[in-house]
Amino acid sequence: MDSLYFFMDSLVKYGYLQNAMIAGVMVGTVCGFIGCFIILRGMALMGDAISHAVLPGVAIAYLMGFSIFIGAVITGVLTSLGIGYISQNSKLKDDTAIGLMFTAAFALGVVLITLQRGTGVDLWHILFGNVLAVSREDLWLIFFIGLLVVVSIFLFYKQILLSTFDPVMARAVGIPTNAIHYLMMLLLSLVTVASLKTVGIVLVVAMFIAPGATAYLLTERLPSMLGLSAVFGVFSAVTGVYLSFIYDVATGASIVLVASFLFALSFFLSPKQGILVQKYRLWKAGV
Amino acid sequence: MGINVRVNNLAVSYNGVKVFENITFSVESGQLVGIIGPNGAGKSTLLKSILGLMSIDRGEVEILDGSISKARRKIAYVPQRNDINLDFPVSVEDVVMMGRFPHLTWWGLPRRKDREVVTESLKEVGMIGYRHRQIGQLSGGQLQRVFLARALAQEAELFFLDEPFAGIDISSETMIMDLLRGLRNQGKSIFVVHHDLNKAETYFDTLVLLKNRLIAFGSREEVFREETLKEAYEGRVSTFAGSDKLMVVNG
Ligand SMILES: Nc1ncnc2c1ncn2[C@@H]1O[C@H](COP(=O)(O)OP(=O)(O)OP(=O)(O)O)[C@@H](O)[C@H]1O
Ligand SMILES: [Mg+2]
């Protein structure tokens, strides 16, 4: 309780902690939303790829002095186009194309950043986040990205749902499933940028899939999966920031650990799917 | 009665490997059309080409007197069962509501009329009692009925079903066939990919027999002849002595 009091006290006192909290709440919500569709579309690996592929864009943006937001989106989307191009024009499967493209992009990013050592760009912070350095501008950026993502999902909910659930019918009735695929890739790149300071590039994929996967085990309707996933995302972010503050450990990693812990809970204890719950039922039925 | 689907000199390939060529036929409204042929004959591919989902090498497909793009919302499709993720978090009602999506604007929400149509369609296939079930918790036959309800809710002119009777119980099959006949009698055209030749003979008005080309097209009498079946099934056809019924031995 002492540490909770200490945390609350600091939260009131320090602006940087408030910013970290607000960023965490927004990032948790947005990652939770987009993550559901990533899971249902079987794109977890793609999410990992896009988030890593954002790195060279961020590096070039620092180098040339324009917004990292633009750089990240450009390389994120280019990578997803490259992945599509390779898998359509060779006999390689998607996962091979993904593995090739994103490691290449990531390596390019690392080289570009290490090239400009001494200019104050900290590779560690881009890779793993630096939530205590979230500025006002960062908060606004996260807010607008979040708004864009949430509005896109609500506006195109029907099209995204149908093209995810039954792509053949979706195409048959004229829904541009390819455009929707690239819209998802674009949103993924944007959310990665939004999460840069909070969890960083390397771990952000966990924020895409852990809350969504947790929710997936607990519900049977998409709207409630979206809602729960956002709640788990926010809970992980807030608890993660708290734990990292109290124990003075890396914030992004703490957030991801909380999210993973939630997943483990629902994996073992979910009323319908939980492994332990099923074992218990079998045991009880046997008696 | 107008022509509903006209396929002219159609050729389709995957990555340069030809599936079929030279397919020409047309189907009037009010027909139950069976697409039959051995595994790999190109049945699903033909369906997808008519739906405008394949890039075609040659020839053209006309639907409802126009190109496919104008007719899209009037086309209902029932997927093959193993193409569906049964763990997807949607209920029976959600799936049937998808049939209404082509009638809504891009961002519009379903209205009361749409919900009524969904309820009606679910009643027609006898699945109203399951409306809140997640789709993974249905039998194969029930699932097919739900997808048929989705097609009904779409109020389409053309229906395309890929192997709807694979692995389902006889009562569901009978019910689906009755519904399809009802649709046919309302002047709709229904295309069904089908495996079981014995039933195909009684189920369909018109048959398309494929084996990497159009082996035969037309009425039962025209298609169910020994030569055509032997050609399609490479001689694995035997005739029962004393009857002119044909039997196909697959595999
Ligand atoms: N996506 C694809 N890429 C490459 N070849 C394909 C693809 N889909 C089908 N084929 C090939 O095209 C041919 C026709 O396939 P199609 O699925 O149309 O057959 P089918 O008649 O529906 O068979 P079945 O009875 O097994 O469903 C087959 O030789 C198949 O191997
Ligand atoms: Mg097939």
Side-chain angles (χ1 to χ4, degrees), chain A residues 61-278:
Chain A
Y62 273 126
L63 202 67
M64 318 270 284
F66 58 88
S67 151
I68 58 163
F69 170 75
I70 295 171
V73 168
I74 290 176
T75 52
V77 171
L78 275 183
T79 306
S80 70
L81 288 171
I83 291 168
Y85 187 80
I86 291 183
S87 63
Q88 273 159 30
N89 290 287
S90 73
K91 59 182 180 187
L92 296 173
K93 294 255 165 53
D94 250 13
D95 60 336
T96 310
I98 290 173
L100 281 168
M101 283 299 293
F102 95 83
T103 45
F106 191 65
L108 177 66
V110 173
V111 165
L112 284 175
I113 288 182
T114 44
L115 257 184
Q116 39 185 329
R117 222 177 322 228
T119 53
V121 184
D122 191 335
L123 180 59
W124 176 268
H125 284 162
I126 298 178
L127 295 186
F128 295 106
N130 180 19
V131 74
L132 300 183
V134 176
S135 65
R136 271 287 130 116
E137 294 88 82
D138 291 331
L139 285 185
W140 280 112
L141 181 70
I142 299 173
F143 176 75
F144 282 116
I145 291 177
L147 196 66
L148 182 72
V149 171
V150 173
V151 167
S152 306
I153 288 178
F154 275 85
L155 224 45
F156 301 129
Y157 181 79
K158 293 196 301 275
Q159 289 80 2
I160 299 175
L161 171 63
L162 188 53
S163 75
T164 307
F165 177 67
D166 187 351
V168 179
M169 170 177 172
R171 284 165 64 206
V173 299
I175 290 173
T177 49
N178 266 332
I180 291 192
H181 173 78
Y182 287 110
L183 172 72
M184 297 309 282
M185 295 296 114
L186 178 70
L187 295 182
L188 259 181
S189 317
L190 289 175
V191 176
T192 306
V193 177
S195 320
L196 213 57
K197 289 236 165 123
T198 315
V199 279
I201 283 176
V202 173
L203 289 177
V204 66
V205 67
M207 287 308 285
F208 292 152
I209 57 182
T214 311
Y216 190 33
L217 296 184
L218 293 174
T219 136
E220 294 180 338
R221 297 290 297 277
L222 185 51
S224 52
M225 179 176 168
L226 287 165
L228 275 181
S229 177
V231 168
F232 293 143
V234 170
F235 180 84
S236 311
V238 170
T239 316
V241 170
Y242 167 76
L243 291 175
S244 87
F245 184 78
I246 296 298
Y247 297 106
D248 191 22
V249 290
T251 315
S254 326
I255 295 176
V256 169
L257 277 186
V258 176
S260 313
F261 178 70
L262 288 181
F263 174 76
L265 278 186
S266 102
F267 180 73
F268 289 112
L269 299 176
S270 137
K272 283 210 165 127
Q273 321 264 340
I275 297 285
L276 289 182
V277 174
Q278 282 173 12

Side-chain angles (χ1 to χ4, degrees), chain A residues 158 166 171-172 220-221, chain B residues 53 72 94 105 108 137 150:
Chain A
K158 293 196 301 275
D166 187 351
R171 284 165 64 206
E220 294 180 338
R221 297 290 297 277
Chain B
L53 305 180
R72 288 217 173 272
D94 295 336
T105 59
Q137 299 159 10
R150 182 178 78 174

Side-chain angles (χ1 to χ4, degrees), chain B residues 71-83:
Chain B
R72 288 217 173 272
R73 76 176 55 182
K74 295 185 188 143
I75 296 174
Y77 166 78
V78 174
Q80 236 170 322
R81 174 149 190 247
N82 34 13
D83 291 346

Side-chain angles (χ1 to χ4, degrees), chain B residues 43-44 80 162-163 193:
Chain B
K43 304 181 294 292
S44 300
Q80 236 170 322
D162 202 344
E163 309 231 5
V193 174

Side-chain angles (χ1 to χ4, degrees), chain B residues 44-205:
Chain B
S44 300
T45 308
L46 178 63
L47 214 62
K48 286 186 188 151
S49 325
I50 300 177
L51 287 167
L53 305 180
M54 303 280 308
S55 65
I56 55 184
D57 297 346
R58 210 164 347 101
E60 58 264 355
V61 176
E62 249 179 58
I63 289 195
L64 304 170
D65 293 322
S67 77
I68 172 88
S69 49
K70 288 187 205 126
R72 288 217 173 272
R73 76 176 55 182
K74 295 185 188 143
I75 296 174
Y77 166 78
V78 174
Q80 236 170 322
R81 174 149 190 247
N82 34 13
D83 291 346
I84 290 297
N85 170 9
L86 294 176
D87 290 323
F88 205 94
V90 283
S91 67
V92 164
E93 204 170 37
D94 295 336
V95 170
V96 180
M97 185 56 87
M98 290 175 195
R100 299 304 297 169
F101 288 179
H103 295 269
L104 304 174
T105 59
W106 257 79
W107 39 82
L109 293 172
R111 292 156 186 275
R112 212 177 81 204
K113 158 106 195 316
D114 300 300
R115 280 190 284 275
E116 281 165 12
V117 174
V118 167
T119 309
E120 264 325 294
S121 311
L122 276 171
K123 277 186 188 148
E124 263 185 81
V125 300
M127 288 296 292
I128 191 75
Y130 297 82
R131 61 194 309 170
H132 299 305
R133 280 256 185 119
Q134 194 268 336
I135 53 158
Q137 299 159 10
L138 301 174
S139 73
Q142 292 171 333
L143 194 70
Q144 282 299 343
R145 277 148 63 190
V146 169
F147 278 100
L148 184 61
R150 182 178 78 174
L152 295 175
Q154 202 181 325
E155 297 174 331
E157 287 301 315
L158 288 169
F159 293 75
F160 294 84
L161 296 83
D162 202 344
E163 309 231 5
F165 305 128
I168 75 172
D169 53 291
I170 189 71
S171 65
S172 286
E173 179 165 341
T174 313
M175 170 173 220
I176 291 174
M177 254 340 272
D178 287 344
L179 281 161
L180 294 182
R181 287 194 188 102
L183 289 170
R184 187 257 323 265
N185 296 340
Q186 293 166 32
K188 323 266 179 179
S189 302
I190 301 119
F191 290 78
V192 183
V193 174
H194 194 56
H195 242 108
D196 184 345
L197 281 192
N198 289 320
K199 283 187 181 144
E201 200 176 352
T202 55
Y203 280 177
F204 305 112
D205 313 316

